[in-house]
Amino acid sequence: MSAVKTHAGRRSTKTDFDLTGFLNQCAKDVNAALEKFLPRATIKPSTIHKAMRYSIFAGGKRIRPALCIAAAEACGGTRNAAIPFACAVECIHAYSLIHDDLPAMDNDDFRRGKPTNHKVFGEGIAILAGDALLTQAFEIAAQAAPVKRYPMQTVFKEITHASGSKRLIAGQVADLEAEGRTITEKELKYIHENKTSALLTCSVRLGGMAANCNNTQLTALTEFGQRVGLAFQVIDDILDVTQSSEQLGKTAGKDTASQKATYPSIIGLEKSRQKAQRLTNEAFKQLEVFNNRAHALHGLAKYLLLREK
Ligand code: GRG
């Protein structure tokens, strides 16, 4: 247990950090902001606004917003400055899940313990709800306060790159093209780095940008995000084989049933666990530059490693 000094001058330990409290408060703040940013369900055409809200408020863990806010705070910034970016990444995340669940993609009936968007609203509206959430992300990000080192042009480039055809969508394309054939660990890494890590890394980078972070901090956040993102996906693969559908709120064992390549299927369960631990340790190392201000980032990386759903 490493002893650290808090701002109040009190001796404390990293394990003192109240991650549950932090996550709950982030979710509360982000939900309140999303409530304001998203068009009301009564606004015409109400079907699309109901569908957007259905997925946004379906009970996601708000990991990406929490990472964004934690990164801003690690760089000495405020939560309020990071909130528009935190909401923007959550909208992109929700869009990707809606589209991923479609019959033409993963064909899932349940997400977060609830029927998927297309099961409730039909495929056409689900596609449009995803499109609308992606667009909404930019409208929300544009409402962030201006930051000296990172003009809106830089911020938009960051978001478009992470969610575009060379990152998030590249991962999904590689995933689709891997169906029904054996892939190597290198190919699996490529899928996860783009499908999962890209948006997680973008979330911490945007948090840093909201705090007007310096180059050293931005590099550390990037390295941290990449490692935590990959570890997150390794754990996701492990949970798919070790947890039940009830525990996960989505269909468990789907990867095995669809003969999808995963870390446990390629390197085995034990080596997968070791890999996630190693990546998390490497992520922890990146936090040294933040002079004891990265308790939330540290706690989040640990939580993502140890999570059970
Ligand atoms: C552009 C259609 C399209 C897809 C992009 C992100 C993505 C690729 C697909 C979504 C499905 C998937 C398995 C993504 C991997 C990342 C992942 C494990 C997402 C789940 O994230 P959590 O656990 O979800 O943060 P909650 O429900 O808590 O928000």
Side-chain angles (χ1 to χ4, degrees):
M1 199 190 297
S2 51
V4 290
K5 201 155 186 173
T6 62
H7 292 307
R10 176 176 72 87
R11 295 298 293 175
S12 78
T13 64
K14 272 186 185 156
T15 50
D16 279 349
F17 183 74
D18 175 16
L19 184 71
T20 308
F22 176 81
L23 276 171
N24 288 342
Q25 194 56 51
C26 282
K28 213 170 145 197
D29 295 345
V30 166
N31 288 346
L34 282 166
E35 185 57 55
K36 286 193 190 136
F37 283 134
L38 256 68
R40 284 194 306 277
T42 48
I43 290 178
K44 232 174 144 182
S46 71
T47 320
I48 191 70
H49 299 133
K50 276 185 194 150
M52 290 162 76
R53 284 174 166 268
Y54 176 79
S55 289
I56 271 285
F57 295 114
K61 295 185 289 295
R62 307 295 194 226
I63 295 301
R64 293 149 193 82
L67 282 166
C68 181
I69 290 167
E73 291 178 352
C75 298
T78 66
R79 175 170 300 215
N80 276 350
I83 286 277
F85 296 156
C87 292
V89 290
E90 190 64 13
C91 286
I92 294 173
H93 171 57
Y95 129 75
S96 76
L97 297 183
I98 295 174
H99 282 195
D100 187 64
D101 290 336
L102 287 167
M105 302 253 187
D106 255 13
N107 194 17
D108 266 305
D109 292 351
F110 287 95
R111 162 91 46 199
R112 299 154 170 168
K114 296 191 171 107
T116 43
N117 198 293
H118 66 271
K119 282 277 153 192
V120 178
F121 296 95
E123 274 182 62
I125 293 294
I127 293 170
L128 293 170
D131 294 342
L133 281 165
L134 175 61
T135 320
Q136 186 73 53
F138 293 95
E139 196 177 321
I140 296 174
Q143 292 173 61
V147 174
K148 215 169 170 191
R149 290 195 184 103
Y150 305 100
M152 207 38 89
Q153 198 183 9
T154 308
V155 167
F156 272 37
K157 212 171 148 196
E158 179 72 30
I159 306 175
T160 49
H161 182 68
S163 56
S165 62
K166 291 185 211 149
R167 299 293 271 144
L168 186 72
I169 291 172
Q172 186 73 349
V173 171
D175 198 9
L176 284 176
E177 290 179 347
E179 266 173 29
R181 67 181 180 90
T182 313
I183 60 166
T184 61
E185 189 182 342
K186 193 173 163 209
E187 285 176 287
L188 184 64
K189 187 166 178 256
Y190 175 87
I191 293 174
H192 291 339
E193 275 173 351
N194 291 297
K195 235 180 109 164
T196 309
S197 246
L199 194 56
L200 285 166
T201 305
C202 173
S203 304
V204 286
R205 281 174 57 91
L206 286 173
M209 289 180 185
N212 198 33
C213 69
N214 62 34
N215 251 334
T216 309
Q217 292 170 325
L218 193 62
T219 303
L221 288 174
T222 310
E223 300 285 329
F224 172 86
Q226 286 167 350
R227 283 162 181 82
V228 166
L230 193 53
F232 179 85
Q233 190 58 57
V234 177
I235 294 295
D236 217 67
D237 284 358
I238 295 173
L239 294 178
D240 187 70
V241 283
T242 58
Q243 302 293 82
S244 68
S245 300
E246 291 69 37
Q247 280 164 316
L248 295 179
K250 61 179 183 181
T251 321
K254 212 169 169 252
D255 295 341
T256 318
S258 59
Q259 293 180 313
K260 203 171 194 169
T262 62
Y263 272 96
S265 73
I266 292 182
I267 61 172
L269 205 53
E270 203 37 52
K271 278 210 171 127
S272 301
R273 288 199 173 104
Q274 286 164 8
K275 187 175 180 72
Q277 180 69 66
R278 195 172 56 248
L279 285 162
T280 306
N281 289 344
E282 286 170 16
F284 288 155
K285 269 206 87 54
Q286 300 302 322
L287 301 180
E288 284 164 10
V289 301
F290 295 105
N291 300 326
N292 288 335
R293 271 198 312 234
H295 298 296
L297 284 177
H298 186 279
L300 278 164
K302 193 171 160 192
Y303 160 77
L304 293 175
L305 176 74
L306 302 177
R307 74 197 166 101
E308 290 176 352
K309 63 177 193 167

